[in-house]
Amino acid sequence: MTTQALKAPLHMRRNGLDPVEELARAREDEGVVRVETPFGPPAYLICRHEDVRQVLADPTRFSSALAPLPGSGYVDADELERLRAGQLFRLDPPEHSRLRRMLTPEFTMRRMRGLEPRITQIVHKALDDLERAGKPADLVEHFALPVPSLVICELLGVPYADRARFQERAVRLLDTSLPMERRVAAQREDRAYMADLVARAQAAPGQDMLGMLVREHGDDLSTDELIGIAELLLLAGHETTSNMLALGTLALLRHPDQLAVIRQDPAQAEPAVEELSRWLSVVQSLPPRMTTTDVEIAGQVIPSGSLLICSLPAANRDPAFVHDPETLDVTRAAAGHLAFGHGVHHCLGAPLARMEMRIAFPALLRRFPGLALADPDEQADFRIFTTVYGVNALRVTW
């Protein structure tokens, strides 16, 4: 079956940059709806901001560890255990807390401030490359993808020369239109690659994050956990931010009044990053949860052992959360949005992603005052079936 013949699950359906009206109606009417999933059993889709917060804040009643992994039916119990090791968003406390404590020092604001000069260099180097490419140029290829990829590669100790291969695997892993066998194969290839990197770090730990984990926590972390941590950080570190940079630029070009706010006052980039994160919600949903007891959400009783999917685009555009949620307003900051999750699984790398965007958006707009879509009438090439929403390419001129 071709992707054109497929229909994305409700929580992944978009009308361009906006969630579809059907998702908004689900939020305004029932608040919770039964949906089919791309990974097997049906689930309850949670749509309202407060309800999503409730689910994400309570790992006791809403377990990440009990929910099945995509592709679980294609691997045996031993491989499944290895695949779950180190994957923080698939674990509950206390296992989750143990791993997170080891990683948190690397993502503090103090640590991020130390990285700021290097991130600024990376951004300006990418802008140079974009300009050299000549107009029109693909913003994804020359800017949105290279910036976070190089940052996370340097932070983790992953060779940047390998980026094309791990990015191709990431696309297969996240594309729900592909047969599960292909996605599982991509997962296995990724683990084999990471296993090699971890073995090198164990033999000669460097100054990067993998080296730090080996030196300081080598006795507390299994090899499978090190591999899982590295996989998670590499995937999340470039996929989410690169799609935010591309979609954020597209959103600003379609809202020139909002673009002008950032261009005229780069200090506005900080609240703008929060509003763009809320309004775009590139992470369509977080990994599913499973109820450990009967629960009531939005007036519905959901039985124990049920799968839940939290719709971040629906929750972040909930009128009960912000006034006039469909309007992009880069001055409002949107405190309390759920684009980076909430609770114990709040995105560990959020400070890094925010810093990259806070530096990148103003730098892009200052370098190219005439930045525009190469063809304003051209249909954007959206990544419809991926769990992280984005565009495959974004042709711009200046």
Side-chain angles (χ1 to χ4, degrees), residues 30-209:
E30 303 97 328
V32 177
V33 292
R34 287 277 277 176
V35 294
E36 298 301 316
T37 66
F39 43 82
Y44 291 87
L45 182 63
I46 314 300
C47 301
R48 295 173 183 167
H49 184 272
E50 189 52 43
D51 294 334
V52 171
R53 278 179 61 95
Q54 174 190 345
V55 171
L56 300 183
D58 188 352
T60 302
R61 292 191 302 154
F62 307 102
S63 170
S64 298
L66 294 178
L69 287 170
S72 298
Y74 293 84
V75 298
D76 61 27
D78 289 342
E79 184 174 3
L80 189 61
E81 185 176 352
R82 291 195 299 273
L83 289 175
R84 196 182 290 274
Q87 298 282 342
L88 275 77
F89 56 78
R90 303 285 184 187
L91 301 173
D92 294 330
E95 292 82 5
H96 171 273
S97 308
R98 176 179 69 87
L99 297 181
R100 188 162 179 126
R101 276 195 299 270
M102 299 178 194
L103 291 166
T104 297
E106 294 300 307
F107 290 98
T108 61
M109 286 308 302
R110 179 179 178 183
R111 170 77 166 131
M112 293 304 103
R113 282 192 291 271
L115 294 174
E116 184 166 1
R118 178 57 183 145
I119 294 174
T120 301
Q121 288 178 347
I122 289 170
V123 165
H124 286 286
K125 170 65 165 56
L127 290 172
D128 292 341
D129 293 343
L130 177 63
E131 189 167 13
R132 275 195 297 270
K135 54 187 179 181
D138 180 8
L139 188 87
V140 174
E141 178 185 354
H142 297 289
F143 184 71
L145 191 51
V147 168
S149 295
L150 183 52
V151 170
I152 198 63
C153 281
E154 290 192 358
L155 194 63
L156 270 179
V158 175
Y160 186 59
D162 295 345
R163 66 193 181 281
R165 282 176 290 176
F166 69 65
Q167 286 161 1
E168 185 274 333
R169 288 193 297 270
V171 169
R172 282 190 285 146
L173 275 167
L174 297 173
D175 187 348
T176 61
S177 72
L178 293 178
M180 189 56 73
E181 295 95 326
R182 288 191 62 190
R183 298 177 66 194
V184 170
Q187 174 85 64
R188 287 170 174 156
E189 291 168 25
D190 211 45
R191 280 192 66 80
Y193 172 75
M194 288 300 177
D196 181 62
L197 290 183
V198 166
R200 291 189 218 172
Q202 289 172 325
Q207 297 305 307
D208 48 71
M209 193 178 299

Side-chain angles (χ1 to χ4, degrees), residues 329-344:
D329 177 4
V330 297
T331 66
R332 75 165 128 204
H337 69 76
L338 302 171
F340 292 107
H342 178 68
V344 298

Side-chain angles (χ1 to χ4, degrees), residues 279-292:
W279 196 76
L280 293 168
S281 295
V282 298
V283 177
Q284 312 260 36
S285 66
L286 298 172
R289 269 48 172 185
M290 180 172 281
T291 55
T292 60

Side-chain angles (χ1 to χ4, degrees), residues 107 109 112 340 346-357:
F107 290 98
M109 286 308 302
M112 293 304 103
F340 292 107
H346 183 269
C347 177
L348 189 64
L352 178 61
R354 286 179 163 115
M355 174 169 285
E356 290 177 71
M357 289 187 282

Side-chain angles (χ1 to χ4, degrees), residues 234-280:
L234 181 60
L235 179 66
H238 78 271
E239 271 294 316
T240 52
T241 308
S242 68
N243 285 297
M244 268 301 303
L245 288 174
L247 282 189
T249 301
L250 177 59
L252 292 172
L253 290 173
R254 289 183 174 177
H255 297 80
D257 58 327
Q258 301 300 299
L259 184 151
V261 171
I262 303 171
R263 174 176 285 146
Q264 291 164 9
D265 181 7
Q268 287 294 326
E270 192 163 338
V273 163
E274 301 308 315
E275 173 68 350
L276 285 166
S277 298
R278 175 199 74 84
W279 196 76
L280 293 168

